[in-house]
Amino acid sequence: MRLAVSLDRGTKFALFTLATCLVVLMLSVAKTIILPLIVAVLFWYLVLTLRTFYFNFFSKVSFLSKFAKYIAMPVAIITFAVGIYLIGSIMTHNISSVMKDADANQTQLLNGIHEIAKKLGFDGDFKTSDFIRRVNIRRFIANIASGITALAKNAGLVVVYMLFLFLEQKSIRKKMNKLFSDKSDREKAYKMLAKVDKNLKTYVAVKTFISISTGVCGYVLMSAVGLQYAPFWALLLFIMNYIPTFGSLISSILPITFAVIQFSDKLIIPVILAFGFFFIEMLFGNFIEPKILGKTLNLSPLVILLSLVVWGAIWGVAGMFLCVPLMSLIMIALSSFSSTRKYALLLSENGDLPDEE
């Protein structure tokens, strides 16, 4: 009898492992199809969040209140489109400028590091050749450019997906009513969708607000010290802030490095930038963001870190951007069924989940 139970558990584990490998393989192979769809869903939620914001704003304006529900969506779409266009324009223009000066900047960086090494008492024969191979500004900027090009190639597919999401939006409730004939199953499905909707809207809204605030504060700081390409670095701060844990750190190191290049004779300026970025990250990332989000996502920090590694391995940088909303969706799905709630508990931050209904 014990042998049968052991075999049964072994079989279940083997099937689970096989299913996991197949899912990972499918996600990797179907990256060009699935990834634009997920990006489209997040962009769709961003537009819906903007629509809610504009609806609430226009409703408070006396001469616009009657038309609020009609103009909120067009204004939201226009805002989103203009924002994407401005981001693309700033990135494209500044990348070409940085690429043009890349070789000169790298030489200045190496000379600056050589001088710093001398001041700190290192041997004057500093091994810059090894450093050149490891730090290649031109190659790094080229990687950023190739990433933007890859995103641009999928832009058309993302727009098509978003269009169909807007069209499907009106018929979702009708389809759900027909899909779940049993009333209790239908109510459970609606509650799960409502939870997904709330969590995604909250995450997208808060993360976008925090990212914009981080970018703006970073731009003010970099402009105040006179750092070159300040709009580009500020935009990088905005974009990379969507990557949890490491995004802000990476995007802060780059402008500090270029500050060492530009102000090699005034090293106090890179130090000021370093302290300024540290303060901005502490203020927004460690205080304001957790305060606003609260326990909405309820994801363990360890789970977020592991998901960053796993989704990054499957989908690269795009997976790092999407890891938090994806894990939030997985936890909501797991917590909705009694047989899988124990796995949702493992993913949660404090072990607390809403009572099953």
Side-chain angles (χ1 to χ4, degrees):
M1 188 70 177
R2 287 182 180 177
L3 181 61
V5 172
S6 177
L7 286 173
D8 185 59
R9 287 178 179 174
T11 303
K12 284 183 178 179
F13 178 77
L15 288 173
F16 173 78
T17 304
L18 179 62
T20 302
C21 292
L22 288 174
V23 168
V24 171
L25 180 63
M26 183 193 71
L27 290 173
S28 181
V29 172
K31 174 182 175 180
T32 55
I33 298 174
I34 299 175
L35 197 54
L37 176 59
I38 296 175
V39 173
V41 170
L42 290 179
F43 282 174
W44 176 55
Y45 267 99
L46 180 57
V47 173
L48 293 180
T49 304
L50 286 171
R51 182 192 64 177
T52 303
F53 168 78
Y54 281 124
F55 176 78
N56 294 334
F57 175 76
F58 292 144
S59 297
K60 295 175 184 177
V61 181
S62 57
F63 66 93
L64 291 175
S65 57
K66 294 181 180 179
F67 311 101
K69 66 178 181 179
Y70 301 109
I71 62 176
M73 179 58 85
V75 174
I77 293 173
I78 291 170
T79 303
F80 173 78
V82 169
I84 293 294
Y85 172 77
L86 289 176
I87 289 172
S89 298
I90 294 172
M91 290 293 284
T92 304
H93 173 73
N94 282 273
I95 282 176
S96 61
S97 299
V98 176
M99 283 286 285
K100 190 185 298 181
D101 302 331
D103 294 332
N105 286 332
Q106 180 149 339
T107 301
Q108 289 181 34
L109 175 63
L110 294 173
N111 290 337
I113 291 174
H114 191 72
E115 290 299 320
I116 292 171
K118 281 184 177 180
K119 289 179 182 179
L120 293 176
F122 288 100
D123 185 9
D125 186 21
F126 192 64
K127 294 184 178 179
T128 55
S129 58
D130 293 338
F131 195 81
I132 290 171
R133 283 194 291 270
R134 292 174 185 171
V135 180
N136 190 314
I137 294 174
R138 178 178 287 277
R139 188 193 312 149
F140 177 77
I141 301 299
N143 288 337
I144 294 178
S146 64
I148 294 172
T149 303
L151 289 174
K153 287 180 181 177
N154 290 322
L157 191 55
V158 170
V159 170
V160 171
Y161 280 143
M162 287 182 68
L163 178 61
F164 277 94
L165 284 170
F166 283 119
L167 294 175
E168 287 287 323
Q169 187 178 338
K170 297 179 181 178
S171 59
I172 287 177
R173 181 168 290 274
K174 183 179 179 181
K175 290 180 179 180
M176 291 289 290
N177 290 337
K178 290 187 176 182
L179 185 63
F180 297 97
S181 55
D182 184 74
K183 186 178 178 181
S184 61
D185 290 342
R186 186 164 60 247
E187 288 178 353
K188 195 170 185 179
Y190 277 133
K191 285 177 183 176
M192 186 171 74
L193 286 177
K195 197 188 298 183
V196 169
D197 184 71
K198 179 186 175 183
N199 277 21
L200 276 183
K201 280 184 177 177
T202 303
Y203 176 77
V204 169
V206 171
K207 201 65 180 176
T208 301
F209 168 73
I210 296 296
S211 297
I212 291 173
S213 301
T214 302
V216 169
C217 291
Y219 176 75
V220 171
L221 174 64
M222 290 180 287
S223 297
V225 300
L227 184 66
Q228 283 182 313
Y229 316 118
F232 174 70
W233 303 126
L235 191 57
L236 200 62
L237 281 172
F238 162 72
I239 294 171
M240 295 294 286
N241 195 65
Y242 283 94
I243 298 179
T245 309
F246 300 111
S248 297
L249 176 63
I250 295 171
S251 58
S252 300
I253 288 173
L254 293 171
I256 292 171
T257 303
F258 270 78
V260 173
I261 296 172
Q262 185 178 342
F263 305 103
S264 56
D265 56 337
K266 300 177 184 177
L267 294 179
I268 187 63
I269 291 181
V271 173
I272 291 172
L273 279 178
F275 277 103
F277 286 134
F278 176 76
F279 175 77
I280 291 170
E281 174 57 25
M282 289 295 294
L283 176 64
F284 290 106
N286 293 5
F287 180 72
I288 296 178
E289 183 175 335
K291 200 83 172 176
I292 299 176
L293 276 178
K295 298 297 178 184
T296 301
L297 299 178
N298 192 23
L299 281 171
S300 164
L302 178 60
V303 169
I304 293 175
L305 182 61
L306 291 175
S307 67
L308 184 70
V309 175
V310 172
W311 288 107
I314 296 172
W315 284 341
V317 176
M320 295 179 181
F321 280 100
L322 300 172
C323 67
V324 172
L326 286 172
M327 292 308 299
S328 179
L329 291 177
I330 290 171
M331 194 175 84
I332 290 170
L334 292 174
S335 66
S336 300
F337 304 96
S338 57
S339 59
T340 56
R341 277 178 69 83
K342 55 186 177 183
Y343 302 114
L345 284 170
L346 293 174
L347 298 178
S348 65
E349 181 179 4
N350 50 23
D352 293 331
L353 292 175
D355 294 332
E356 233 182 333
E357 297 180 18

PDB file of all heavy atoms in Angstrom, residues 25 34-35 38 51 99 114 121 128 151 157 165 172 197 208 212 255 257 264 274 283 286 295 311-312 317 335 340 342:
ATOM      1  N   LEU A  25       9.262  25.713 -22.219  1.00  0.00           N
ATOM      2  CA  LEU A  25       9.654  25.572 -23.627  1.00  0.00           C
ATOM      3  C   LEU A  25       8.676  26.301 -24.538  1.00  0.00           C
ATOM      4  O   LEU A  25       9.077  27.001 -25.471  1.00  0.00           O
ATOM      5  CB  LEU A  25       9.722  24.088 -24.000  1.00  0.00           C
ATOM      6  CG  LEU A  25      10.122  23.764 -25.449  1.00  0.00           C
ATOM      7  CD1 LEU A  25      11.539  24.262 -25.735  1.00  0.00           C
ATOM      8  CD2 LEU A  25      10.019  22.261 -25.714  1.00  0.00           C
ATOM      9  N   ILE A  34       3.491  35.511 -27.719  1.00  0.00           N
ATOM     10  CA  ILE A  34       2.953  35.714 -26.376  1.00  0.00           C
ATOM     11  C   ILE A  34       3.403  37.040 -25.775  1.00  0.00           C
ATOM     12  O   ILE A  34       2.613  37.763 -25.158  1.00  0.00           O
ATOM     13  CB  ILE A  34       3.368  34.549 -25.451  1.00  0.00           C
ATOM     14  CG1 ILE A  34       2.803  33.239 -25.978  1.00  0.00           C
ATOM     15  CG2 ILE A  34       2.885  34.794 -24.024  1.00  0.00           C
ATOM     16  CD1 ILE A  34       3.256  32.015 -25.206  1.00  0.00           C
ATOM     17  N   LEU A  35       4.680  37.387 -25.960  1.00  0.00           N
ATOM     18  CA  LEU A  35       5.228  38.600 -25.352  1.00  0.00           C
ATOM     19  C   LEU A  35       4.504  39.869 -25.805  1.00  0.00           C
ATOM     20  O   LEU A  35       4.111  40.696 -24.964  1.00  0.00           O
ATOM     21  CB  LEU A  35       6.727  38.685 -25.639  1.00  0.00           C
ATOM     22  CG  LEU A  35       7.550  39.632 -24.779  1.00  0.00           C
ATOM     23  CD1 LEU A  35       7.347  39.341 -23.303  1.00  0.00           C
ATOM     24  CD2 LEU A  35       9.025  39.541 -25.132  1.00  0.00           C
ATOM     25  N   ILE A  38       1.147  40.077 -23.972  1.00  0.00           N
ATOM     26  CA  ILE A  38       1.230  40.507 -22.568  1.00  0.00           C
ATOM     27  C   ILE A  38       1.514  42.003 -22.482  1.00  0.00           C
ATOM     28  O   ILE A  38       0.928  42.716 -21.657  1.00  0.00           O
ATOM     29  CB  ILE A  38       2.306  39.700 -21.825  1.00  0.00           C
ATOM     30  CG1 ILE A  38       1.913  38.225 -21.786  1.00  0.00           C
ATOM     31  CG2 ILE A  38       2.506  40.227 -20.409  1.00  0.00           C
ATOM     32  CD1 ILE A  38       2.961  37.320 -21.184  1.00  0.00           C
ATOM     33  N   ARG A  51      -7.997  56.530 -18.692  1.00  0.00           N
ATOM     34  CA  ARG A  51      -9.407  56.865 -18.933  1.00  0.00           C
ATOM     35  C   ARG A  51     -10.121  57.155 -17.611  1.00  0.00           C
ATOM     36  O   ARG A  51     -10.901  58.119 -17.513  1.00  0.00           O
ATOM     37  CB  ARG A  51     -10.104  55.704 -19.648  1.00  0.00           C
ATOM     38  CG  ARG A  51     -11.570  56.006 -19.985  1.00  0.00           C
ATOM     39  CD  ARG A  51     -12.327  54.770 -20.409  1.00  0.00           C
ATOM     40  NE  ARG A  51     -12.404  53.787 -19.316  1.00  0.00           N
ATOM     41  CZ  ARG A  51     -13.061  52.646 -19.418  1.00  0.00           C
ATOM     42  NH1 ARG A  51     -13.666  52.311 -20.547  1.00  0.00           N
ATOM     43  NH2 ARG A  51     -13.094  51.799 -18.396  1.00  0.00           N
ATOM     44  N   MET A  99      26.263  57.446 -29.183  1.00  0.00           N
ATOM     45  CA  MET A  99      27.060  56.562 -30.047  1.00  0.00           C
ATOM     46  C   MET A  99      28.159  57.355 -30.762  1.00  0.00           C
ATOM     47  O   MET A  99      29.282  56.879 -30.924  1.00  0.00           O
ATOM     48  CB  MET A  99      26.155  55.884 -31.078  1.00  0.00           C
ATOM     49  CG  MET A  99      25.337  54.730 -30.530  1.00  0.00           C
ATOM     50  SD  MET A  99      26.323  53.248 -30.235  1.00  0.00           S
ATOM     51  CE  MET A  99      26.539  52.676 -31.908  1.00  0.00           C
ATOM     52  N   HIS A 114      42.145  55.644 -14.461  1.00  0.00           N
ATOM     53  CA  HIS A 114      43.592  55.527 -14.266  1.00  0.00           C
ATOM     54  C   HIS A 114      44.091  56.567 -13.258  1.00  0.00           C
ATOM     55  O   HIS A 114      44.906  56.256 -12.367  1.00  0.00           O
ATOM     56  CB  HIS A 114      44.297  55.712 -15.616  1.00  0.00           C
ATOM     57  CG  HIS A 114      45.748  55.356 -15.590  1.00  0.00           C
ATOM     58  ND1 HIS A 114      46.198  54.059 -15.511  1.00  0.00           N
ATOM     59  CD2 HIS A 114      46.855  56.150 -15.613  1.00  0.00           C
ATOM     60  CE1 HIS A 114      47.527  54.060 -15.500  1.00  0.00           C
ATOM     61  NE2 HIS A 114      47.951  55.315 -15.563  1.00  0.00           N
ATOM     62  N   GLY A 121      46.524  55.260  -4.655  1.00  0.00           N
ATOM     63  CA  GLY A 121      47.745  54.561  -4.299  1.00  0.00           C
ATOM     64  C   GLY A 121      47.989  53.259  -5.022  1.00  0.00           C
ATOM     65  O   GLY A 121      48.876  52.484  -4.632  1.00  0.00           O
ATOM     66  N   THR A 128      44.530  48.738 -17.895  1.00  0.00           N
ATOM     67  CA  THR A 128      43.376  49.265 -18.616  1.00  0.00           C
ATOM     68  C   THR A 128      42.952  48.366 -19.760  1.00  0.00           C
ATOM     69  O   THR A 128      41.803  48.419 -20.191  1.00  0.00           O
ATOM     70  CB  THR A 128      43.716  50.660 -19.184  1.00  0.00           C
ATOM     71  OG1 THR A 128      44.889  50.553 -19.985  1.00  0.00           O
ATOM     72  CG2 THR A 128      43.943  51.650 -18.069  1.00  0.00           C
ATOM     73  N   LEU A 151      11.770  46.101 -29.958  1.00  0.00           N
ATOM     74  CA  LEU A 151      10.454  46.529 -29.482  1.00  0.00           C
ATOM     75  C   LEU A 151       9.657  47.194 -30.591  1.00  0.00           C
ATOM     76  O   LEU A 151       8.442  46.990 -30.721  1.00  0.00           O
ATOM     77  CB  LEU A 151      10.613  47.503 -28.305  1.00  0.00           C
ATOM     78  CG  LEU A 151      11.105  46.904 -26.981  1.00  0.00           C
ATOM     79  CD1 LEU A 151      11.344  48.006 -25.967  1.00  0.00           C
ATOM     80  CD2 LEU A 151      10.081  45.910 -26.439  1.00  0.00           C
ATOM     81  N   LEU A 157       2.249  44.591 -33.908  1.00  0.00           N
ATOM     82  CA  LEU A 157       1.494  43.472 -33.330  1.00  0.00           C
ATOM     83  C   LEU A 157       0.857  43.874 -32.000  1.00  0.00           C
ATOM     84  O   LEU A 157      -0.285  43.487 -31.704  1.00  0.00           O
ATOM     85  CB  LEU A 157       2.428  42.273 -33.131  1.00  0.00           C
ATOM     86  CG  LEU A 157       1.781  40.928 -32.777  1.00  0.00           C
ATOM     87  CD1 LEU A 157       0.725  40.531 -33.808  1.00  0.00           C
ATOM     88  CD2 LEU A 157       2.854  39.844 -32.658  1.00  0.00           C
ATOM     89  N   LEU A 165      -8.407  43.909 -27.988  1.00  0.00           N
ATOM     90  CA  LEU A 165      -8.773  43.932 -26.567  1.00  0.00           C
ATOM     91  C   LEU A 165      -9.874  44.954 -26.310  1.00  0.00           C
ATOM     92  O   LEU A 165     -10.816  44.694 -25.550  1.00  0.00           O
ATOM     93  CB  LEU A 165      -7.544  44.246 -25.713  1.00  0.00           C
ATOM     94  CG  LEU A 165      -6.533  43.112 -25.514  1.00  0.00           C
ATOM     95  CD1 LEU A 165      -5.264  43.641 -24.863  1.00  0.00           C
ATOM     96  CD2 LEU A 165      -7.144  42.001 -24.666  1.00  0.00           C
ATOM     97  N   ILE A 172     -17.211  40.762 -22.977  1.00  0.00           N
ATOM     98  CA  ILE A 172     -16.650  39.816 -22.003  1.00  0.00           C
ATOM     99  C   ILE A 172     -17.727  39.284 -21.059  1.00  0.00           C
ATOM    100  O   ILE A 172     -17.831  38.075 -20.821  1.00  0.00           O
ATOM    101  CB  ILE A 172     -15.512  40.483 -21.195  1.00  0.00           C
ATOM    102  CG1 ILE A 172     -14.278  40.647 -22.078  1.00  0.00           C
ATOM    103  CG2 ILE A 172     -15.158  39.642 -19.971  1.00  0.00           C
ATOM    104  CD1 ILE A 172     -13.123  41.354 -21.406  1.00  0.00           C
ATOM    105  N   ASP A 197      -8.232  42.454 -12.279  1.00  0.00           N
ATOM    106  CA  ASP A 197      -8.420  43.811 -12.805  1.00  0.00           C
ATOM    107  C   ASP A 197      -7.929  44.860 -11.812  1.00  0.00           C
ATOM    108  O   ASP A 197      -7.185  45.787 -12.175  1.00  0.00           O
ATOM    109  CB  ASP A 197      -9.906  44.022 -13.106  1.00  0.00           C
ATOM    110  CG  ASP A 197     -10.173  45.379 -13.740  1.00  0.00           C
ATOM    111  OD1 ASP A 197      -9.797  45.570 -14.906  1.00  0.00           O
ATOM    112  OD2 ASP A 197     -10.754  46.245 -13.065  1.00  0.00           O
ATOM    113  N   THR A 208       3.749  53.354 -12.819  1.00  0.00           N
ATOM    114  CA  THR A 208       3.949  54.427 -13.796  1.00  0.00           C
ATOM    115  C   THR A 208       4.155  55.769 -13.094  1.00  0.00           C
ATOM    116  O   THR A 208       5.040  56.548 -13.467  1.00  0.00           O
ATOM    117  CB  THR A 208       2.750  54.512 -14.755  1.00  0.00           C
ATOM    118  OG1 THR A 208       2.597  53.256 -15.430  1.00  0.00           O
ATOM    119  CG2 THR A 208       2.946  55.607 -15.783  1.00  0.00           C
ATOM    120  N   ILE A 212       7.613  57.839 -13.388  1.00  0.00           N
ATOM    121  CA  ILE A 212       7.622  59.223 -13.884  1.00  0.00           C
ATOM    122  C   ILE A 212       8.260  60.150 -12.850  1.00  0.00           C
ATOM    123  O   ILE A 212       9.104  60.994 -13.182  1.00  0.00           O
ATOM    124  CB  ILE A 212       6.197  59.696 -14.228  1.00  0.00           C
ATOM    125  CG1 ILE A 212       5.671  58.957 -15.462  1.00  0.00           C
ATOM    126  CG2 ILE A 212       6.167  61.202 -14.477  1.00  0.00           C
ATOM    127  CD1 ILE A 212       4.216  59.237 -15.766  1.00  0.00           C
ATOM    128  N   PRO A 255      24.474  57.083 -15.557  1.00  0.00           N
ATOM    129  CA  PRO A 255      24.760  58.528 -15.539  1.00  0.00           C
ATOM    130  C   PRO A 255      25.901  58.895 -14.592  1.00  0.00           C
ATOM    131  O   PRO A 255      26.635  59.853 -14.860  1.00  0.00           O
ATOM    132  CB  PRO A 255      23.432  59.151 -15.081  1.00  0.00           C
ATOM    133  CG  PRO A 255      22.645  58.046 -14.492  1.00  0.00           C
ATOM    134  CD  PRO A 255      23.080  56.801 -15.176  1.00  0.00           C
ATOM    135  N   THR A 257      28.539  57.038 -14.100  1.00  0.00           N
ATOM    136  CA  THR A 257      29.740  56.711 -14.875  1.00  0.00           C
ATOM    137  C   THR A 257      30.065  57.818 -15.869  1.00  0.00           C
ATOM    138  O   THR A 257      31.221  58.229 -16.012  1.00  0.00           O
ATOM    139  CB  THR A 257      29.548  55.386 -15.623  1.00  0.00           C
ATOM    140  OG1 THR A 257      29.234  54.355 -14.686  1.00  0.00           O
ATOM    141  CG2 THR A 257      30.798  55.002 -16.407  1.00  0.00           C
ATOM    142  N   SER A 264      35.832  64.735 -14.857  1.00  0.00           N
ATOM    143  CA  SER A 264      36.996  63.997 -14.341  1.00  0.00           C
ATOM    144  C   SER A 264      37.841  64.845 -13.395  1.00  0.00           C
ATOM    145  O   SER A 264      38.552  64.319 -12.545  1.00  0.00           O
ATOM    146  CB  SER A 264      37.864  63.494 -15.504  1.00  0.00           C
ATOM    147  OG  SER A 264      38.253  64.581 -16.331  1.00  0.00           O
ATOM    148  N   ALA A 274      25.502  60.355  -6.988  1.00  0.00           N
ATOM    149  CA  ALA A 274      25.308  59.062  -6.321  1.00  0.00           C
ATOM    150  C   ALA A 274      24.413  59.212  -5.095  1.00  0.00           C
ATOM    151  O   ALA A 274      23.461  58.445  -4.904  1.00  0.00           O
ATOM    152  CB  ALA A 274      26.659  58.460  -5.933  1.00  0.00           C
ATOM    153  N   LEU A 283      13.370  57.336  -1.279  1.00  0.00           N
ATOM    154  CA  LEU A 283      12.109  58.060  -1.121  1.00  0.00           C
ATOM    155  C   LEU A 283      10.974  57.371  -1.873  1.00  0.00           C
ATOM    156  O   LEU A 283       9.921  57.068  -1.292  1.00  0.00           O
ATOM    157  CB  LEU A 283      12.269  59.497  -1.620  1.00  0.00           C
ATOM    158  CG  LEU A 283      11.010  60.373  -1.606  1.00  0.00           C
ATOM    159  CD1 LEU A 283      10.520  60.573  -0.187  1.00  0.00           C
ATOM    160  CD2 LEU A 283      11.281  61.717  -2.278  1.00  0.00           C
ATOM    161  N   ASN A 286      11.452  52.797  -1.625  1.00  0.00           N
ATOM    162  CA  ASN A 286      11.365  52.144  -0.320  1.00  0.00           C
ATOM    163  C   ASN A 286      10.343  52.759   0.618  1.00  0.00           C
ATOM    164  O   ASN A 286      10.077  52.194   1.682  1.00  0.00           O
ATOM    165  CB  ASN A 286      12.736  52.161   0.375  1.00  0.00           C
ATOM    166  CG  ASN A 286      13.756  51.305  -0.350  1.00  0.00           C
ATOM    167  OD1 ASN A 286      13.470  50.765  -1.412  1.00  0.00           O
ATOM    168  ND2 ASN A 286      14.936  51.178   0.211  1.00  0.00           N
ATOM    169  N   LYS A 295      -0.627  46.223   0.572  1.00  0.00           N
ATOM    170  CA  LYS A 295      -0.617  44.768   0.440  1.00  0.00           C
ATOM    171  C   LYS A 295      -1.397  44.317  -0.793  1.00  0.00           C
ATOM    172  O   LYS A 295      -1.888  43.194  -0.854  1.00  0.00           O
ATOM    173  CB  LYS A 295      -1.228  44.127   1.692  1.00  0.00           C
ATOM    174  CG  LYS A 295      -0.457  44.437   2.974  1.00  0.00           C
ATOM    175  CD  LYS A 295       0.943  43.880   2.924  1.00  0.00           C
ATOM    176  CE  LYS A 295       1.727  44.242   4.188  1.00  0.00           C
ATOM    177  NZ  LYS A 295       3.112  43.795   4.138  1.00  0.00           N
ATOM    178  N   TRP A 311      11.951  34.711 -15.216  1.00  0.00           N
ATOM    179  CA  TRP A 311      11.349  35.342 -16.398  1.00  0.00           C
ATOM    180  C   TRP A 311      12.404  36.041 -17.246  1.00  0.00           C
ATOM    181  O   TRP A 311      12.268  36.125 -18.468  1.00  0.00           O
ATOM    182  CB  TRP A 311      10.264  36.333 -15.979  1.00  0.00           C
ATOM    183  CG  TRP A 311       9.032  35.660 -15.461  1.00  0.00           C
ATOM    184  CD1 TRP A 311       8.608  35.602 -14.164  1.00  0.00           C
ATOM    185  CD2 TRP A 311       8.078  34.914 -16.216  1.00  0.00           C
ATOM    186  NE1 TRP A 311       7.445  34.874 -14.072  1.00  0.00           N
ATOM    187  CE2 TRP A 311       7.095  34.446 -15.305  1.00  0.00           C
ATOM    188  CE3 TRP A 311       7.942  34.599 -17.567  1.00  0.00           C
ATOM    189  CZ2 TRP A 311       6.002  33.680 -15.714  1.00  0.00           C
ATOM    190  CZ3 TRP A 311       6.854  33.832 -17.977  1.00  0.00           C
ATOM    191  CH2 TRP A 311       5.901  33.380 -17.058  1.00  0.00           C
ATOM    192  N   GLY A 312      13.463  36.530 -16.598  1.00  0.00           N
ATOM    193  CA  GLY A 312      14.571  37.109 -17.358  1.00  0.00           C
ATOM    194  C   GLY A 312      15.273  36.064 -18.199  1.00  0.00           C
ATOM    195  O   GLY A 312      15.689  36.338 -19.330  1.00  0.00           O
ATOM    196  N   VAL A 317      15.234  40.781 -21.113  1.00  0.00           N
ATOM    197  CA  VAL A 317      14.913  42.023 -20.402  1.00  0.00           C
ATOM    198  C   VAL A 317      13.397  42.231 -20.309  1.00  0.00           C
ATOM    199  O   VAL A 317      12.882  42.695 -19.289  1.00  0.00           O
ATOM    200  CB  VAL A 317      15.567  43.231 -21.111  1.00  0.00           C
ATOM    201  CG1 VAL A 317      15.155  44.533 -20.445  1.00  0.00           C
ATOM    202  CG2 VAL A 317      17.082  43.096 -21.087  1.00  0.00           C
ATOM    203  N   SER A 335      -4.755  31.166  -5.737  1.00  0.00           N
ATOM    204  CA  SER A 335      -5.538  31.393  -4.519  1.00  0.00           C
ATOM    205  C   SER A 335      -7.036  31.233  -4.742  1.00  0.00           C
ATOM    206  O   SER A 335      -7.804  31.197  -3.784  1.00  0.00           O
ATOM    207  CB  SER A 335      -5.251  32.796  -3.975  1.00  0.00           C
ATOM    208  OG  SER A 335      -5.713  33.787  -4.877  1.00  0.00           O
ATOM    209  N   THR A 340      -5.159  24.548  -4.826  1.00  0.00           N
ATOM    210  CA  THR A 340      -3.878  25.207  -5.126  1.00  0.00           C
ATOM    211  C   THR A 340      -3.574  26.391  -4.199  1.00  0.00           C
ATOM    212  O   THR A 340      -2.555  27.054  -4.370  1.00  0.00           O
ATOM    213  CB  THR A 340      -3.868  25.721  -6.584  1.00  0.00           C
ATOM    214  OG1 THR A 340      -5.002  26.594  -6.791  1.00  0.00           O
ATOM    215  CG2 THR A 340      -3.928  24.571  -7.571  1.00  0.00           C
ATOM    216  N   LYS A 342      -2.505  26.411  -1.227  1.00  0.00           N
ATOM    217  CA  LYS A 342      -1.260  26.233  -0.464  1.00  0.00           C
ATOM    218  C   LYS A 342      -0.056  26.774  -1.239  1.00  0.00           C
ATOM    219  O   LYS A 342       0.905  27.280  -0.640  1.00  0.00           O
ATOM    220  CB  LYS A 342      -1.056  24.751  -0.126  1.00  0.00           C
ATOM    221  CG  LYS A 342      -1.064  23.829  -1.327  1.00  0.00           C
ATOM    222  CD  LYS A 342      -1.014  22.370  -0.887  1.00  0.00           C
ATOM    223  CE  LYS A 342      -1.104  21.426  -2.101  1.00  0.00           C
ATOM    224  NZ  LYS A 342      -1.136  20.008  -1.686  1.00  0.00           N
TER     225      LYS A 342
END
